[in-house]
Amino acid sequence: MTANRHHIIRLEFSSAFEMLDFVQVVSDHLARSVGLDEDALHWVSVAIRESVINAIKHGNKSDASKHVFVEFESDSRDTQPALSIRVRDEGEGFDPETVANPLDPENLLKSSGRGIFLIRNFMDDVRLQRAPEGGMEIRMIKRVQPAPADGTLQA
């Protein structure tokens, strides 16, 4: 059973892929603290890595003078505990409506373009928008799924 807690953790770092593991440690710790199971924890891990990689590579164009901002908010006080994640870059941004569908036949063999698709499938709520502070941001939420009333395991 998780304790009823609410945490906000903010990270800011230069556009360096070496920071991925640190972000991962923070994400895993908070995901466990709200009660996400190992399967959900794995998918949150993939989503956070994809979003930070996108911020570094596509948003900030790997420019070490630009920063990535990651904010985690964990809340286990609600009836359905959740982990909220916000990742923001300092890039020019893009129109989320123009992101190509990687499942379209013309995109199947492309080496990129799957990150946002995967994130949308792994998380419960995903919003992409230009950040008021500048750059692009993605906001993601993963909710703890309640255990079945009869005590059986879910597939």
Side-chain angles (χ1 to χ4, degrees):
M1 189 83 183
T2 60
N4 291 333
R5 296 188 181 146
H6 179 251
H7 295 285
I8 297 175
I9 296 176
R10 292 180 183 96
L11 307 174
E12 178 182 346
F13 50 91
S14 64
S15 295
F17 291 111
E18 293 80 12
M19 292 304 296
L20 279 170
D21 290 337
F22 177 71
V23 174
Q24 189 70 55
V25 168
V26 174
S27 174
D28 288 353
H29 176 74
L30 290 171
R32 283 187 181 93
S33 78
V34 296
L36 291 174
D37 62 24
E38 289 301 313
D39 192 45
L41 191 135
H42 171 74
W43 297 120
V44 167
S45 171
V46 173
I48 189 74
R49 288 184 82 84
E50 283 293 329
S51 61
V52 171
I53 288 169
N54 282 349
I56 293 170
K57 183 178 177 183
H58 300 294
N60 290 345
K61 308 278 191 243
S62 298
D63 181 346
S65 70
K66 292 185 178 181
H67 289 189
V68 175
F69 304 85
V70 181
E71 179 179 288
F72 297 95
E73 184 171 0
S74 64
D75 196 346
S76 58
R77 301 173 301 181
D78 200 357
T79 56
Q80 189 174 23
L83 178 63
S84 301
I85 305 160
R86 176 184 178 216
V87 178
R88 179 173 63 88
D89 60 49
E90 295 185 310
E92 296 176 17
F94 64 95
D95 180 358
E97 300 302 316
T98 63
V99 175
N101 182 348
L103 299 180
D104 287 345
E106 65 271 14
N107 299 326
L108 287 176
L109 299 178
K110 289 185 178 177
S111 62
S112 65
R114 290 171 179 74
I116 292 172
F117 174 81
L118 293 173
I119 293 166
R120 284 182 168 145
N121 282 281
F122 297 156
M123 302 298 281
D124 295 320
D125 185 33
V126 176
R127 287 181 290 148
L128 288 151
Q129 61 193 31
R130 292 186 192 271
E133 309 91 335
M136 198 71 189
E137 75 176 6
I138 183 168
R139 292 177 180 247
M140 308 171 275
I141 298 174
K142 186 67 173 175
R143 294 178 190 87
V144 174
Q145 298 305 311
D150 63 5
T152 60
L153 295 176
Q154 290 179 304

